[in-house]
Amino acid sequence: MHLPDGFLTAGVMVGTWTATGAGVAAALRAERRDDHHMPAGVLGAVAAFIFAAQLVNVPVAPGTSGHLVGAALAAVLLGPWRATIVMTVVLAVQALMFQDGGLGALGANTLDMGIAAVFAGWTTASLTARWLPTPRGAVAGGVLGGFTATLSSAALTSVWLGLSGLYPLGGIVRVMLFTHTFIGVLEALLTGAILTTVVRWRPDLVLGLQTRQQPAWGGALVLGSLSVAGIIAAFVAPFASGAPDGLEHAAERLGFGGRAAAWWTAPLPDYGLPFTMGPGLETALAGVAGTVMVAVVAWGVSRGVGTRRRDAVHR
């Protein structure tokens, strides 16, 4: 669902960048004021896992593929504000380093997948967990939240495309929602599978749906999450489906796919390397490099916010 450059008008880009800037600033302020400390490595590990998971496209319908976005998953595990920070880092690294989504469209992509999807997924998961306050309720909330997050992001993406005059809004909404219904089911299933594992072994880590219990963070937990992310990037991503994703499928079907343009050349475009090593190996190495980069950037942002929080307390 990553919008490329060339699809959006200048007005839509300015509007979405403004809204995204306000949302990310609010997330950073909320994190700085939060009394419940979370180690910076945790945000880095979750961001790395989501980045790696997004590398793996799987077929969801004839001629269409999809992948885990992870907005609802991050919201359930971390809470909505921290999830917004994580998703912003993931999307920024994808655009800046790999040309996965346009620079001009980064504001819209972050608003769609890093803010709207996060809060839609978290709201759905929270309401479900309140109605069913058990570990199963947390999993069910994540499943429904993942589906809701996907469709809300698809609908918002359709609005930007419609406002940019690429196709009548009603038509593009129908196509995008139909296609992303299948992708939403994939998102829901993957989110549910991951949360089932988490609540079985470490239910205290479902921090986004509770505030009373402080989880016992540990280096082994962070290192394990980073290891899983690295394994996915190195050994699973090279076998990802090459079929168009939901947005690409809609753009081809509605006739505006040719409007996509690359405004600049990223260091590792399309998850390739500057030298030829075979597509599978290039994808693996680029994926591992991106996973490490996302982890470091998210860790740095979280560490920086935590330092400002401590400075404010000591004043």
Side-chain angles (χ1 to χ4, degrees):
M1 208 183 303
H2 294 70
L3 285 161
D5 287 323
F7 277 11
L8 305 181
T9 62
V12 171
M13 284 190 290
V14 170
T16 52
W17 267 105
T18 301
T20 293
V24 173
L28 292 171
R29 285 196 301 269
E31 173 65 4
R32 190 166 60 248
R33 296 171 181 172
D34 196 332
D35 295 330
H36 298 289
H37 174 66
M38 179 178 290
V42 174
L43 264 68
V46 173
F49 178 83
I50 289 176
F51 175 88
Q54 288 194 16
L55 294 172
V56 185
N57 279 57
V58 298
V60 295
T64 308
S65 68
H67 60 72
L68 178 75
V69 173
L73 175 64
V76 170
L77 294 177
L78 305 175
W81 295 116
R82 286 175 176 140
T84 292
I85 295 171
V86 163
M87 294 300 297
T88 299
V89 170
V90 170
L91 292 164
V93 171
Q94 287 173 336
L96 292 169
M97 294 302 300
F98 302 100
Q99 218 158 345
D100 192 1
L103 284 183
L106 181 57
N109 286 329
T110 305
L111 186 59
D112 297 348
M113 292 180 280
I115 299 177
V118 163
F119 278 89
W122 178 77
T123 300
T124 302
S126 296
L127 292 175
T128 304
R130 290 179 186 176
W131 177 67
L132 187 62
T134 65
R136 290 184 177 180
V139 174
V143 169
L144 295 175
F147 185 78
T148 303
T150 301
L151 292 191
S152 65
S153 185
L156 202 54
T157 299
S158 302
V159 171
W160 312 139
L161 296 172
L163 290 177
S164 297
L166 293 182
Y167 200 84
L169 180 58
I172 198 167
V173 167
R174 286 193 296 271
V175 172
M176 286 285 286
L177 289 183
F178 176 78
T179 302
H180 284 84
T181 295
F182 299 99
I183 298 175
V185 171
L186 172 68
E187 182 86 16
L189 292 175
L190 291 176
T191 302
I194 294 167
L195 288 177
T196 297
T197 303
V198 172
V199 300
R200 180 177 180 181
W201 298 105
R202 292 291 303 273
D204 58 310
L205 298 183
V206 187
L207 189 62
L209 299 183
Q210 53 88 24
T211 57
R212 296 179 182 178
Q213 185 179 8
Q214 278 296 94
W217 304 110
L221 175 67
V222 173
L223 184 60
S225 300
L226 290 174
S227 299
V228 171
I231 290 171
I232 294 173
F235 300 107
V236 182
F239 300 98
S241 171
D245 64 19
L247 175 59
E248 292 170 338
H249 176 78
E252 291 174 2
R253 179 177 174 181
L254 300 179
F256 58 83
R259 292 281 299 273
W263 287 3
W264 80 306
T265 301
L268 303 174
D270 296 325
Y271 301 94
L273 298 177
F275 42 88
T276 303
M277 298 184 65
L281 185 56
E282 286 186 31
T283 300
L285 293 176
V288 171
T291 299
V292 173
M293 190 177 305
V294 164
V296 171
V297 173
W299 174 86
V301 171
S302 180
R303 182 73 178 241
V305 173
T307 300
R308 293 187 64 180
R309 181 197 302 118
R310 290 191 295 272
D311 291 344
V313 170
H314 292 306
R315 288 176 184 172

PDB file of all heavy atoms in Angstrom, residues 218-253:
ATOM      1  N   GLY A 218      13.812  -7.874  29.095  1.00  0.00           N
ATOM      2  CA  GLY A 218      15.113  -8.507  29.231  1.00  0.00           C
ATOM      3  C   GLY A 218      15.872  -8.467  27.924  1.00  0.00           C
ATOM      4  O   GLY A 218      15.289  -8.398  26.845  1.00  0.00           O
ATOM      5  N   GLY A 219      17.200  -8.491  28.048  1.00  0.00           N
ATOM      6  CA  GLY A 219      18.029  -8.469  26.860  1.00  0.00           C
ATOM      7  C   GLY A 219      17.796  -9.666  25.969  1.00  0.00           C
ATOM      8  O   GLY A 219      17.868  -9.564  24.739  1.00  0.00           O
ATOM      9  N   ALA A 220      17.506 -10.824  26.590  1.00  0.00           N
ATOM     10  CA  ALA A 220      17.276 -12.033  25.801  1.00  0.00           C
ATOM     11  C   ALA A 220      16.035 -11.879  24.923  1.00  0.00           C
ATOM     12  O   ALA A 220      16.003 -12.346  23.774  1.00  0.00           O
ATOM     13  CB  ALA A 220      17.126 -13.235  26.721  1.00  0.00           C
ATOM     14  N   LEU A 221      15.012 -11.209  25.465  1.00  0.00           N
ATOM     15  CA  LEU A 221      13.786 -10.994  24.696  1.00  0.00           C
ATOM     16  C   LEU A 221      14.058 -10.118  23.477  1.00  0.00           C
ATOM     17  O   LEU A 221      13.629 -10.427  22.358  1.00  0.00           O
ATOM     18  CB  LEU A 221      12.734 -10.342  25.592  1.00  0.00           C
ATOM     19  CG  LEU A 221      11.420  -9.938  24.925  1.00  0.00           C
ATOM     20  CD1 LEU A 221      10.658 -11.165  24.476  1.00  0.00           C
ATOM     21  CD2 LEU A 221      10.577  -9.106  25.878  1.00  0.00           C
ATOM     22  N   VAL A 222      14.784  -9.031  23.687  1.00  0.00           N
ATOM     23  CA  VAL A 222      15.103  -8.124  22.585  1.00  0.00           C
ATOM     24  C   VAL A 222      15.983  -8.821  21.556  1.00  0.00           C
ATOM     25  O   VAL A 222      15.745  -8.741  20.344  1.00  0.00           O
ATOM     26  CB  VAL A 222      15.785  -6.853  23.118  1.00  0.00           C
ATOM     27  CG1 VAL A 222      16.277  -5.980  21.962  1.00  0.00           C
ATOM     28  CG2 VAL A 222      14.832  -6.066  24.009  1.00  0.00           C
ATOM     29  N   LEU A 223      17.011  -9.527  22.042  1.00  0.00           N
ATOM     30  CA  LEU A 223      17.924 -10.219  21.131  1.00  0.00           C
ATOM     31  C   LEU A 223      17.187 -11.299  20.343  1.00  0.00           C
ATOM     32  O   LEU A 223      17.432 -11.484  19.143  1.00  0.00           O
ATOM     33  CB  LEU A 223      19.071 -10.841  21.924  1.00  0.00           C
ATOM     34  CG  LEU A 223      20.171 -11.524  21.098  1.00  0.00           C
ATOM     35  CD1 LEU A 223      20.813 -10.521  20.146  1.00  0.00           C
ATOM     36  CD2 LEU A 223      21.213 -12.140  22.024  1.00  0.00           C
ATOM     37  N   GLY A 224      16.260 -12.005  21.001  1.00  0.00           N
ATOM     38  CA  GLY A 224      15.483 -13.030  20.301  1.00  0.00           C
ATOM     39  C   GLY A 224      14.622 -12.439  19.205  1.00  0.00           C
ATOM     40  O   GLY A 224      14.542 -12.990  18.099  1.00  0.00           O
ATOM     41  N   SER A 225      13.977 -11.298  19.496  1.00  0.00           N
ATOM     42  CA  SER A 225      13.134 -10.649  18.484  1.00  0.00           C
ATOM     43  C   SER A 225      13.960 -10.179  17.298  1.00  0.00           C
ATOM     44  O   SER A 225      13.560 -10.334  16.138  1.00  0.00           O
ATOM     45  CB  SER A 225      12.401  -9.461  19.114  1.00  0.00           C
ATOM     46  OG  SER A 225      11.578  -9.872  20.191  1.00  0.00           O
ATOM     47  N   LEU A 226      15.122  -9.627  17.587  1.00  0.00           N
ATOM     48  CA  LEU A 226      15.992  -9.176  16.500  1.00  0.00           C
ATOM     49  C   LEU A 226      16.488 -10.363  15.676  1.00  0.00           C
ATOM     50  O   LEU A 226      16.610 -10.263  14.441  1.00  0.00           O
ATOM     51  CB  LEU A 226      17.181  -8.414  17.074  1.00  0.00           C
ATOM     52  CG  LEU A 226      16.868  -7.048  17.688  1.00  0.00           C
ATOM     53  CD1 LEU A 226      18.108  -6.467  18.350  1.00  0.00           C
ATOM     54  CD2 LEU A 226      16.338  -6.082  16.634  1.00  0.00           C
ATOM     55  N   SER A 227      16.752 -11.476  16.321  1.00  0.00           N
ATOM     56  CA  SER A 227      17.209 -12.667  15.600  1.00  0.00           C
ATOM     57  C   SER A 227      16.136 -13.189  14.664  1.00  0.00           C
ATOM     58  O   SER A 227      16.408 -13.558  13.518  1.00  0.00           O
ATOM     59  CB  SER A 227      17.628 -13.758  16.591  1.00  0.00           C
ATOM     60  OG  SER A 227      18.698 -13.313  17.404  1.00  0.00           O
ATOM     61  N   VAL A 228      14.890 -13.222  15.146  1.00  0.00           N
ATOM     62  CA  VAL A 228      13.776 -13.665  14.293  1.00  0.00           C
ATOM     63  C   VAL A 228      13.632 -12.740  13.096  1.00  0.00           C
ATOM     64  O   VAL A 228      13.435 -13.192  11.958  1.00  0.00           O
ATOM     65  CB  VAL A 228      12.469 -13.723  15.111  1.00  0.00           C
ATOM     66  CG1 VAL A 228      11.273 -13.978  14.187  1.00  0.00           C
ATOM     67  CG2 VAL A 228      12.546 -14.814  16.169  1.00  0.00           C
ATOM     68  N   ALA A 229      13.746 -11.439  13.342  1.00  0.00           N
ATOM     69  CA  ALA A 229      13.648 -10.474  12.239  1.00  0.00           C
ATOM     70  C   ALA A 229      14.748 -10.713  11.225  1.00  0.00           C
ATOM     71  O   ALA A 229      14.513 -10.676  10.007  1.00  0.00           O
ATOM     72  CB  ALA A 229      13.723  -9.049  12.795  1.00  0.00           C
ATOM     73  N   GLY A 230      15.961 -10.957  11.700  1.00  0.00           N
ATOM     74  CA  GLY A 230      17.072 -11.207  10.786  1.00  0.00           C
ATOM     75  C   GLY A 230      16.876 -12.479   9.978  1.00  0.00           C
ATOM     76  O   GLY A 230      17.200 -12.522   8.778  1.00  0.00           O
ATOM     77  N   ILE A 231      16.343 -13.509  10.610  1.00  0.00           N
ATOM     78  CA  ILE A 231      16.091 -14.777   9.901  1.00  0.00           C
ATOM     79  C   ILE A 231      15.046 -14.578   8.808  1.00  0.00           C
ATOM     80  O   ILE A 231      15.194 -15.075   7.680  1.00  0.00           O
ATOM     81  CB  ILE A 231      15.645 -15.856  10.901  1.00  0.00           C
ATOM     82  CG1 ILE A 231      16.832 -16.249  11.795  1.00  0.00           C
ATOM     83  CG2 ILE A 231      15.087 -17.078  10.177  1.00  0.00           C
ATOM     84  CD1 ILE A 231      16.439 -17.142  12.951  1.00  0.00           C
ATOM     85  N   ILE A 232      13.989 -13.833   9.118  1.00  0.00           N
ATOM     86  CA  ILE A 232      12.960 -13.564   8.110  1.00  0.00           C
ATOM     87  C   ILE A 232      13.553 -12.805   6.925  1.00  0.00           C
ATOM     88  O   ILE A 232      13.321 -13.153   5.759  1.00  0.00           O
ATOM     89  CB  ILE A 232      11.797 -12.759   8.729  1.00  0.00           C
ATOM     90  CG1 ILE A 232      11.062 -13.608   9.769  1.00  0.00           C
ATOM     91  CG2 ILE A 232      10.823 -12.295   7.640  1.00  0.00           C
ATOM     92  CD1 ILE A 232      10.020 -12.827  10.549  1.00  0.00           C
ATOM     93  N   ALA A 233      14.337 -11.765   7.225  1.00  0.00           N
ATOM     94  CA  ALA A 233      14.921 -10.946   6.160  1.00  0.00           C
ATOM     95  C   ALA A 233      15.896 -11.743   5.304  1.00  0.00           C
ATOM     96  O   ALA A 233      15.939 -11.592   4.074  1.00  0.00           O
ATOM     97  CB  ALA A 233      15.618  -9.731   6.764  1.00  0.00           C
ATOM     98  N   ALA A 234      16.688 -12.608   5.936  1.00  0.00           N
ATOM     99  CA  ALA A 234      17.742 -13.312   5.209  1.00  0.00           C
ATOM    100  C   ALA A 234      17.249 -14.549   4.477  1.00  0.00           C
ATOM    101  O   ALA A 234      17.695 -14.836   3.356  1.00  0.00           O
ATOM    102  CB  ALA A 234      18.859 -13.697   6.182  1.00  0.00           C
ATOM    103  N   PHE A 235      16.310 -15.290   5.070  1.00  0.00           N
ATOM    104  CA  PHE A 235      15.976 -16.604   4.529  1.00  0.00           C
ATOM    105  C   PHE A 235      14.541 -16.743   4.013  1.00  0.00           C
ATOM    106  O   PHE A 235      14.237 -17.709   3.314  1.00  0.00           O
ATOM    107  CB  PHE A 235      16.228 -17.674   5.602  1.00  0.00           C
ATOM    108  CG  PHE A 235      17.653 -17.727   6.065  1.00  0.00           C
ATOM    109  CD1 PHE A 235      18.009 -17.242   7.314  1.00  0.00           C
ATOM    110  CD2 PHE A 235      18.652 -18.226   5.243  1.00  0.00           C
ATOM    111  CE1 PHE A 235      19.327 -17.275   7.752  1.00  0.00           C
ATOM    112  CE2 PHE A 235      19.969 -18.277   5.658  1.00  0.00           C
ATOM    113  CZ  PHE A 235      20.315 -17.792   6.913  1.00  0.00           C
ATOM    114  N   VAL A 236      13.671 -15.806   4.361  1.00  0.00           N
ATOM    115  CA  VAL A 236      12.280 -15.890   3.904  1.00  0.00           C
ATOM    116  C   VAL A 236      11.992 -14.844   2.830  1.00  0.00           C
ATOM    117  O   VAL A 236      11.357 -15.146   1.813  1.00  0.00           O
ATOM    118  CB  VAL A 236      11.294 -15.729   5.086  1.00  0.00           C
ATOM    119  CG1 VAL A 236       9.850 -15.861   4.590  1.00  0.00           C
ATOM    120  CG2 VAL A 236      11.579 -16.762   6.169  1.00  0.00           C
ATOM    121  N   ALA A 237      12.484 -13.626   3.035  1.00  0.00           N
ATOM    122  CA  ALA A 237      12.209 -12.543   2.087  1.00  0.00           C
ATOM    123  C   ALA A 237      12.613 -12.852   0.650  1.00  0.00           C
ATOM    124  O   ALA A 237      11.906 -12.462  -0.284  1.00  0.00           O
ATOM    125  CB  ALA A 237      12.883 -11.254   2.565  1.00  0.00           C
ATOM    126  N   PRO A 238      13.750 -13.559   0.399  1.00  0.00           N
ATOM    127  CA  PRO A 238      14.105 -13.845  -1.001  1.00  0.00           C
ATOM    128  C   PRO A 238      13.074 -14.678  -1.749  1.00  0.00           C
ATOM    129  O   PRO A 238      13.086 -14.709  -2.982  1.00  0.00           O
ATOM    130  CB  PRO A 238      15.435 -14.605  -0.871  1.00  0.00           C
ATOM    131  CG  PRO A 238      16.024 -14.112   0.406  1.00  0.00           C
ATOM    132  CD  PRO A 238      14.843 -13.924   1.319  1.00  0.00           C
ATOM    133  N   PHE A 239      12.165 -15.337  -1.021  1.00  0.00           N
ATOM    134  CA  PHE A 239      11.158 -16.174  -1.664  1.00  0.00           C
ATOM    135  C   PHE A 239       9.787 -15.499  -1.694  1.00  0.00           C
ATOM    136  O   PHE A 239       8.770 -16.152  -1.953  1.00  0.00           O
ATOM    137  CB  PHE A 239      11.056 -17.514  -0.931  1.00  0.00           C
ATOM    138  CG  PHE A 239      12.351 -18.294  -0.932  1.00  0.00           C
ATOM    139  CD1 PHE A 239      13.200 -18.251   0.170  1.00  0.00           C
ATOM    140  CD2 PHE A 239      12.725 -19.040  -2.041  1.00  0.00           C
ATOM    141  CE1 PHE A 239      14.396 -18.955   0.165  1.00  0.00           C
ATOM    142  CE2 PHE A 239      13.913 -19.748  -2.050  1.00  0.00           C
ATOM    143  CZ  PHE A 239      14.763 -19.700  -0.946  1.00  0.00           C
ATOM    144  N   ALA A 240       9.749 -14.197  -1.438  1.00  0.00           N
ATOM    145  CA  ALA A 240       8.486 -13.466  -1.444  1.00  0.00           C
ATOM    146  C   ALA A 240       7.870 -13.451  -2.840  1.00  0.00           C
ATOM    147  O   ALA A 240       8.572 -13.495  -3.851  1.00  0.00           O
ATOM    148  CB  ALA A 240       8.696 -12.045  -0.946  1.00  0.00           C
ATOM    149  N   SER A 241       6.543 -13.359  -2.887  1.00  0.00           N
ATOM    150  CA  SER A 241       5.830 -13.306  -4.154  1.00  0.00           C
ATOM    151  C   SER A 241       6.154 -12.018  -4.898  1.00  0.00           C
ATOM    152  O   SER A 241       6.275 -10.938  -4.304  1.00  0.00           O
ATOM    153  CB  SER A 241       4.322 -13.388  -3.909  1.00  0.00           C
ATOM    154  OG  SER A 241       3.596 -13.129  -5.099  1.00  0.00           O
ATOM    155  N   GLY A 242       6.297 -12.121  -6.207  1.00  0.00           N
ATOM    156  CA  GLY A 242       6.542 -10.947  -7.036  1.00  0.00           C
ATOM    157  C   GLY A 242       5.281 -10.368  -7.637  1.00  0.00           C
ATOM    158  O   GLY A 242       5.353  -9.421  -8.429  1.00  0.00           O
ATOM    159  N   ALA A 243       4.115 -10.897  -7.268  1.00  0.00           N
ATOM    160  CA  ALA A 243       2.850 -10.388  -7.799  1.00  0.00           C
ATOM    161  C   ALA A 243       2.590  -8.980  -7.268  1.00  0.00           C
ATOM    162  O   ALA A 243       3.042  -8.620  -6.173  1.00  0.00           O
ATOM    163  CB  ALA A 243       1.704 -11.315  -7.403  1.00  0.00           C
ATOM    164  N   PRO A 244       1.862  -8.143  -8.008  1.00  0.00           N
ATOM    165  CA  PRO A 244       1.574  -6.783  -7.549  1.00  0.00           C
ATOM    166  C   PRO A 244       0.829  -6.796  -6.218  1.00  0.00           C
ATOM    167  O   PRO A 244       0.028  -7.701  -5.943  1.00  0.00           O
ATOM    168  CB  PRO A 244       0.689  -6.212  -8.665  1.00  0.00           C
ATOM    169  CG  PRO A 244       0.949  -7.067  -9.852  1.00  0.00           C
ATOM    170  CD  PRO A 244       1.268  -8.430  -9.335  1.00  0.00           C
ATOM    171  N   ASP A 245       1.097  -5.789  -5.389  1.00  0.00           N
ATOM    172  CA  ASP A 245       0.336  -5.680  -4.150  1.00  0.00           C
ATOM    173  C   ASP A 245      -1.020  -5.046  -4.443  1.00  0.00           C
ATOM    174  O   ASP A 245      -1.359  -4.780  -5.603  1.00  0.00           O
ATOM    175  CB  ASP A 245       1.119  -4.900  -3.092  1.00  0.00           C
ATOM    176  CG  ASP A 245       1.380  -3.442  -3.477  1.00  0.00           C
ATOM    177  OD1 ASP A 245       0.679  -2.917  -4.369  1.00  0.00           O
ATOM    178  OD2 ASP A 245       2.284  -2.828  -2.886  1.00  0.00           O
ATOM    179  N   GLY A 246      -1.789  -4.798  -3.395  1.00  0.00           N
ATOM    180  CA  GLY A 246      -3.151  -4.316  -3.598  1.00  0.00           C
ATOM    181  C   GLY A 246      -3.234  -2.995  -4.326  1.00  0.00           C
ATOM    182  O   GLY A 246      -4.062  -2.812  -5.227  1.00  0.00           O
ATOM    183  N   LEU A 247      -2.375  -2.050  -3.969  1.00  0.00           N
ATOM    184  CA  LEU A 247      -2.385  -0.745  -4.622  1.00  0.00           C
ATOM    185  C   LEU A 247      -1.925  -0.851  -6.067  1.00  0.00           C
ATOM    186  O   LEU A 247      -2.518  -0.236  -6.969  1.00  0.00           O
ATOM    187  CB  LEU A 247      -1.500   0.231  -3.845  1.00  0.00           C
ATOM    188  CG  LEU A 247      -1.324   1.612  -4.470  1.00  0.00           C
ATOM    189  CD1 LEU A 247      -2.664   2.322  -4.639  1.00  0.00           C
ATOM    190  CD2 LEU A 247      -0.366   2.460  -3.625  1.00  0.00           C
ATOM    191  N   GLU A 248      -0.856  -1.602  -6.304  1.00  0.00           N
ATOM    192  CA  GLU A 248      -0.368  -1.773  -7.679  1.00  0.00           C
ATOM    193  C   GLU A 248      -1.427  -2.437  -8.554  1.00  0.00           C
ATOM    194  O   GLU A 248      -1.614  -2.059  -9.718  1.00  0.00           O
ATOM    195  CB  GLU A 248       0.902  -2.616  -7.665  1.00  0.00           C
ATOM    196  CG  GLU A 248       2.103  -1.922  -7.031  1.00  0.00           C
ATOM    197  CD  GLU A 248       3.266  -2.855  -6.809  1.00  0.00           C
ATOM    198  OE1 GLU A 248       3.040  -4.091  -6.746  1.00  0.00           O
ATOM    199  OE2 GLU A 248       4.397  -2.373  -6.677  1.00  0.00           O
ATOM    200  N   HIS A 249      -2.123  -3.423  -7.994  1.00  0.00           N
ATOM    201  CA  HIS A 249      -3.186  -4.100  -8.747  1.00  0.00           C
ATOM    202  C   HIS A 249      -4.300  -3.109  -9.107  1.00  0.00           C
ATOM    203  O   HIS A 249      -4.789  -3.094 -10.248  1.00  0.00           O
ATOM    204  CB  HIS A 249      -3.744  -5.253  -7.917  1.00  0.00           C
ATOM    205  CG  HIS A 249      -4.897  -5.954  -8.547  1.00  0.00           C
ATOM    206  ND1 HIS A 249      -4.752  -6.872  -9.563  1.00  0.00           N
ATOM    207  CD2 HIS A 249      -6.239  -5.864  -8.317  1.00  0.00           C
ATOM    208  CE1 HIS A 249      -5.942  -7.330  -9.916  1.00  0.00           C
ATOM    209  NE2 HIS A 249      -6.858  -6.728  -9.188  1.00  0.00           N
ATOM    210  N   ALA A 250      -4.698  -2.279  -8.131  1.00  0.00           N
ATOM    211  CA  ALA A 250      -5.753  -1.299  -8.392  1.00  0.00           C
ATOM    212  C   ALA A 250      -5.307  -0.274  -9.428  1.00  0.00           C
ATOM    213  O   ALA A 250      -6.076   0.108 -10.313  1.00  0.00           O
ATOM    214  CB  ALA A 250      -6.136  -0.603  -7.087  1.00  0.00           C
ATOM    215  N   ALA A 251      -4.046   0.173  -9.327  1.00  0.00           N
ATOM    216  CA  ALA A 251      -3.539   1.167 -10.277  1.00  0.00           C
ATOM    217  C   ALA A 251      -3.497   0.621 -11.694  1.00  0.00           C
ATOM    218  O   ALA A 251      -3.847   1.317 -12.660  1.00  0.00           O
ATOM    219  CB  ALA A 251      -2.146   1.627  -9.845  1.00  0.00           C
ATOM    220  N   GLU A 252      -3.095  -0.638 -11.844  1.00  0.00           N
ATOM    221  CA  GLU A 252      -3.074  -1.254 -13.169  1.00  0.00           C
ATOM    222  C   GLU A 252      -4.489  -1.429 -13.707  1.00  0.00           C
ATOM    223  O   GLU A 252      -4.759  -1.169 -14.885  1.00  0.00           O
ATOM    224  CB  GLU A 252      -2.360  -2.598 -13.088  1.00  0.00           C
ATOM    225  CG  GLU A 252      -0.856  -2.493 -12.811  1.00  0.00           C
ATOM    226  CD  GLU A 252      -0.221  -3.847 -12.608  1.00  0.00           C
ATOM    227  OE1 GLU A 252      -0.938  -4.870 -12.724  1.00  0.00           O
ATOM    228  OE2 GLU A 252       1.000  -3.902 -12.325  1.00  0.00           O
ATOM    229  N   ARG A 253      -5.382  -1.856 -12.849  1.00  0.00           N
ATOM    230  CA  ARG A 253      -6.766  -2.104 -13.285  1.00  0.00           C
ATOM    231  C   ARG A 253      -7.466  -0.812 -13.682  1.00  0.00           C
ATOM    232  O   ARG A 253      -8.241  -0.794 -14.653  1.00  0.00           O
ATOM    233  CB  ARG A 253      -7.528  -2.794 -12.153  1.00  0.00           C
ATOM    234  CG  ARG A 253      -8.990  -3.078 -12.475  1.00  0.00           C
ATOM    235  CD  ARG A 253      -9.658  -3.824 -11.345  1.00  0.00           C
ATOM    236  NE  ARG A 253     -11.089  -3.980 -11.575  1.00  0.00           N
ATOM    237  CZ  ARG A 253     -11.923  -4.572 -10.739  1.00  0.00           C
ATOM    238  NH1 ARG A 253     -11.462  -5.094  -9.606  1.00  0.00           N
ATOM    239  NH2 ARG A 253     -13.208  -4.656 -11.014  1.00  0.00           N
TER     240      ARG A 253
END
